[in-house]
Amino acid sequence: MADNPATIRKRKSRERLAKLGIKSVEVKLSEKERDDLARLCEIRGGTTGAYSADEYISTLIRRDKERLQQQLTAKPCCAACSAVFSTGRIELDTANWHPLGRDDLAL
C-alpha cells in the first residue's frame, strides 16, 4: 500500500528537522500570554508578515544570549576569586555570580 502525498511530506519534514537537530519544546501559557504572543508575533514581523511562535521565541533566545554575553564581557572576572567567566560558551558557576549581583543577570 503506497503512502499518500501528505504522509510523504510529513515524513520528509520530520527527517529534515531531525537532521538539523530541531526538537519540540512544550510551553504552558495562559490565555493572556498566548494572546500577547500572537500580537507580538504580528507586530514584530513587520512588513514581511507575522513571525511564527517558533521564529519569535528562537529569536528571543538568540538575542538574550547575545545580551548575556555582553553583560559578562563588561565584567569578565569574579571579584571574589578572580575566575574568568567564559563568554564563548556560557559556563558560569553560580557561586561566581555574586560580584555581578544575581539580579544583574536576571531577566
Side-chain angles (χ1 to χ4, degrees), residues 34-64:
R34 289 189 309 272
D35 291 344
D36 289 346
L37 177 59
R39 184 75 173 131
L40 290 165
C41 286
E42 182 181 330
I43 292 170
R44 295 291 192 188
T47 58
T48 60
Y51 283 122
S52 70
D54 291 345
E55 290 171 317
Y56 183 79
I57 292 168
S58 62
T59 300
L60 286 178
I61 291 168
R62 284 191 307 275
R63 289 190 179 169
D64 187 49

Side-chain angles (χ1 to χ4, degrees), residues 7 19 21-23 27 31 33-34 38 42 44 55 59 63-64 70-71 73 78 82 88-90:
T7 303
K19 187 176 181 179
I22 296 174
K23 304 269 183 184
V27 179
E31 184 176 356
E33 290 169 330
R34 289 189 309 272
E42 182 181 330
R44 295 291 192 188
E55 290 171 317
T59 300
R63 289 190 179 169
D64 187 49
Q70 289 170 353
Q71 289 171 316
T73 301
C78 174
S82 299
R89 291 188 336 233
I90 301 170

Side-chain angles (χ1 to χ4, degrees), residues 8 12 14 18 22-23 26 32 46 52 57 59-60 65 71-72 80 90 92-95 97 101-102 106-107:
I8 294 169
K12 287 182 179 182
R14 280 192 217 102
I22 296 174
K23 304 269 183 184
E26 183 178 333
K32 179 172 182 350
S52 70
I57 292 168
T59 300
L60 286 178
K65 180 182 175 191
Q71 289 171 316
L72 295 175
I90 301 170
L92 290 177
D93 178 352
T94 55
W97 290 10
R102 291 186 188 273
L107 290 177

Side-chain angles (χ1 to χ4, degrees), residues 68-77 87 100:
L68 177 60
Q69 288 176 336
Q70 289 170 353
Q71 289 171 316
L72 295 175
T73 301
K75 294 190 178 187
C77 296
T87 58
L100 295 171

